[in-house]
Amino acid sequence: VNIQINYSAIDQVRVTITDLQGKEVYNGKYAGVSNLIGINTASFPTGAYMLTLQNLNNQVLGTYKIIKH
């Protein structure tokens, strides 16, 4: 999964991926200066996931649905 960040005023962004049952399967922090974040989902089982982007104040910047085939 590749994520493009278009928020230039953010120091860091937190990426969380959960399955549809709410179990966290990935959590990472990235510098806001990175415009592109790559996450290897090869080990994830087939299914649907929710990806959430947050700043360090836990403000949600976006929520996205990922479907792995």
Side-chain angles (χ1 to χ4, degrees), residues 12-16 27-30 52-56 58:
Q12 282 193 330
V13 64
R14 178 181 301 140
V15 178
T16 306
N27 188 328
K29 287 183 184 176
Y30 297 89
T52 304
L53 294 175
Q54 295 176 296
N55 64 18
L56 292 183
N58 292 325

Side-chain angles (χ1 to χ4, degrees), residues 15-61:
V15 178
T16 306
I17 300 176
T18 58
D19 63 19
L20 294 185
Q21 288 74 40
K23 179 183 174 190
E24 188 175 286
V25 295
Y26 180 84
N27 188 328
K29 287 183 184 176
Y30 297 89
V33 295
S34 301
N35 287 356
L36 187 63
I37 297 170
I39 299 171
N40 185 351
T41 60
S43 65
F44 292 11
T46 300
Y49 298 88
M50 296 304 296
L51 183 148
T52 304
L53 294 175
Q54 295 176 296
N55 64 18
L56 292 183
N57 295 325
N58 292 325
Q59 178 184 8
V60 175
L61 305 173

